[in-house]
Amino acid sequence: MRTAEDRLVAEGLDLLRLVAKRIARRLGRRIPVEDLVALGHPALLDVVRTHDPSRSTFEAYAKRKIRWAIFDGIRRETRWRSAAARASALAASARFAEGRGADDDADAPATQEAYAARLGGLLAGHAAAMALGLLSAQGDVAAVPDAADSPEERASRAELAQAVRHAVRELPERERALVERHYFDDERFDQIAQDLGISKSWASRLHSQAIERLGELLRAMR
Amino acid sequence: MWPRMDASPLDDPWIAAQVDAAVAPYVGRLPAEEVAWMREQLAEVLLHDEEAIRLLRRAQPREVDESGERAFGVLGAAGRAKAG
């Protein structure tokens, strides 16, 4: 007879395949699904052991933990360098979404135009997060160009890196510190939160505020 | 007519314009292939992110048929994709 833990592992395996297939598709199939499943598999036992039903559903918790395990795994593997930048971009976009509260802008006017403006801000934030993720995966592109790029592409990337760095400097102090340390200095998010004296969930909200602001700044710099 | 099952949100000109505005700062600064990839990922956000789906539903200008019962556009495809 199967135990409750066995059932959760079985459910988790299904979710693992689902998450791996979606990430493979979003990365342009540059990494086989089975390799992504292997990267996410170690997170499964941790998910079963640490899930707290009073805080979230098993499905939501497992998907989130598995997704992060896969993103982290891709970034560690040098053989997937071409996919690593996209994985970093998707990770930044996912972190931006996770830190947004359900009641953000609850006081904003409920007109079609206001909703369109908020949608535009949300999309600009996701785009800014992806740009940050792409740039951070390649290091400081102004100093370390990708050998595969043409001189024109390198110059354009350097210009974007400069524009992003300039926009980041415009952020309020704590948001700037969070973004610079995570994306430019490759520091772990929980370590930065600890140094700033804030909880991980508050750091997550701060990150999303920073990214949305960054999206607006970059739109204004065009 | 309802959109095809494989329809992308980017097939809708209004949505494509919102996505194009979001990626505009990166056009010419990232390779065209990466910008195209970013557009596709923003389409994914519109299909799967709850906040984006809610905002899109309220923000997108709608056309209705003569009975007033059916909204055209990508929202039907988004709903089906989420349910699937």
Side-chain angles (χ1 to χ4, degrees), chain A residues 22 25-26 30 86 90 97 100 112 115-116 122-123 126-128 130-131 134 153 156-157 159-160 218 222, chain B residues 22 24-26 28-31 33-34 37-38 41-42 44-46 48-49 51-52 55 58-61:
Chain A
R22 183 162 183 234
R25 182 170 52 78
R26 297 188 75 184
R30 293 179 176 188
R86 288 186 173 185
L90 292 182
R100 292 180 63 82
Q112 195 173 45
Y115 286 124
L122 180 70
L123 293 174
H126 277 284
M130 283 190 271
L134 287 171
E153 284 175 338
S156 298
R157 273 185 198 271
E159 185 195 336
L160 175 60
L218 287 166
R222 278 175 58 203
Chain B
Y26 315 104
R29 289 167 158 174
L30 283 173
E33 181 194 9
E34 292 304 308
W37 178 79
M38 281 174 74
Q41 301 319 306
L42 292 180
E44 280 274 327
V45 167
L46 289 169
H48 296 281
D49 180 89
E51 182 184 10
L55 287 176
R58 293 169 178 172
Q60 187 182 25

Side-chain angles (χ1 to χ4, degrees), chain A residues 50 57 67 76 92 98 100 124 131 150 168 220:
Chain A
T50 58
T57 65
R67 186 169 63 219
R76 279 197 307 271
E98 283 180 11
R100 292 180 63 82
S150 68
V168 169

Side-chain angles (χ1 to χ4, degrees), chain A residues 69-101:
Chain A
I70 292 175
F71 286 149
D72 287 343
I74 294 170
R75 281 181 286 188
R76 279 197 307 271
E77 292 270 356
T78 51
R79 64 185 157 139
W80 293 322
R81 191 168 177 276
S82 68
R86 288 186 173 185
S88 284
L90 292 182
S93 175
R95 196 181 287 288
F96 171 61
E98 283 180 11
R100 292 180 63 82

Side-chain angles (χ1 to χ4, degrees), chain B:
Chain B
M1 183 198 296
W2 287 95
R4 306 181 317 273
M5 287 302 285
D6 61 347
S8 162
L10 299 175
D11 295 341
D12 182 301
W14 186 86
I15 294 176
Q18 310 307 307
V19 169
D20 286 343
V23 301
Y26 315 104
V27 174
R29 289 167 158 174
L30 283 173
E33 181 194 9
E34 292 304 308
V35 175
W37 178 79
M38 281 174 74
R39 288 181 87 246
E40 288 170 17
Q41 301 319 306
L42 292 180
E44 280 274 327
V45 167
L46 289 169
L47 286 172
H48 296 281
D49 180 89
E50 284 182 16
E51 182 184 10
I53 292 168
R54 181 170 49 82
L55 287 176
L56 177 58
R57 202 167 280 145
R58 293 169 178 172
Q60 187 182 25
R62 293 176 182 220
E63 295 173 35
V64 293
D65 66 9
E66 289 177 3
S67 71
E69 291 179 348
R70 177 179 288 179
F72 292 150
V74 77
L75 292 173
R80 283 195 296 276
K82 189 164 174 56

Side-chain angles (χ1 to χ4, degrees), chain A residues 7-192:
Chain A
R7 279 194 296 275
L8 284 182
V9 170
E11 186 182 344
L13 279 169
D14 289 341
L15 293 170
L16 170 57
R17 284 205 66 80
L18 206 67
V19 172
K21 281 166 84 170
R22 183 162 183 234
I23 291 177
R25 182 170 52 78
R26 297 188 75 184
L27 292 176
R29 312 225 177 265
R30 293 179 176 188
I31 303 177
V33 173
E34 289 310 319
D35 286 345
L36 296 178
V37 168
L39 288 179
H41 198 271
L44 250 190
L45 293 180
D46 188 43
V47 165
V48 171
R49 190 170 48 78
T50 58
H51 174 240
D52 178 355
S54 68
R55 292 170 67 96
S56 65
T57 65
F58 179 76
E59 179 178 342
Y61 183 68
K63 279 182 169 175
R64 187 161 58 82
K65 296 278 278 187
I66 290 167
R67 186 169 63 219
W68 284 109
I70 292 175
F71 286 149
D72 287 343
I74 294 170
R75 281 181 286 188
R76 279 197 307 271
E77 292 270 356
T78 51
R79 64 185 157 139
W80 293 322
R81 191 168 177 276
S82 68
R86 288 186 173 185
S88 284
L90 292 182
S93 175
R95 196 181 287 288
F96 171 61
E98 283 180 11
R100 292 180 63 82
D103 58 350
D104 281 356
D105 292 332
D107 297 332
T111 63
Q112 195 173 45
E113 290 75 17
Y115 286 124
R118 286 165 61 186
L119 180 66
L122 180 70
L123 293 174
H126 277 284
M130 283 190 271
L132 256 182
L134 287 171
L135 291 173
S136 72
Q138 289 149 353
D140 183 347
V141 291
V144 190
D146 189 328
D149 289 344
S150 68
E152 293 77 18
E153 284 175 338
R154 266 182 264 168
S156 298
R157 273 185 198 271
E159 185 195 336
L160 175 60
Q162 194 174 15
V164 169
R165 282 187 177 274
H166 182 78
V168 169
R169 281 197 292 271
E170 302 285 310
L171 295 174
E173 189 178 341
R174 284 212 298 187
E175 293 179 16
R176 179 176 55 77
L178 188 66
V179 168
E180 285 184 343
R181 290 178 61 177
H182 185 59
Y183 291 102
F184 301 161
D185 302 335
D186 202 24
E187 289 189 48
R188 286 184 59 84
F189 204 74
D190 46 4
Q191 181 62 54
I192 303 168

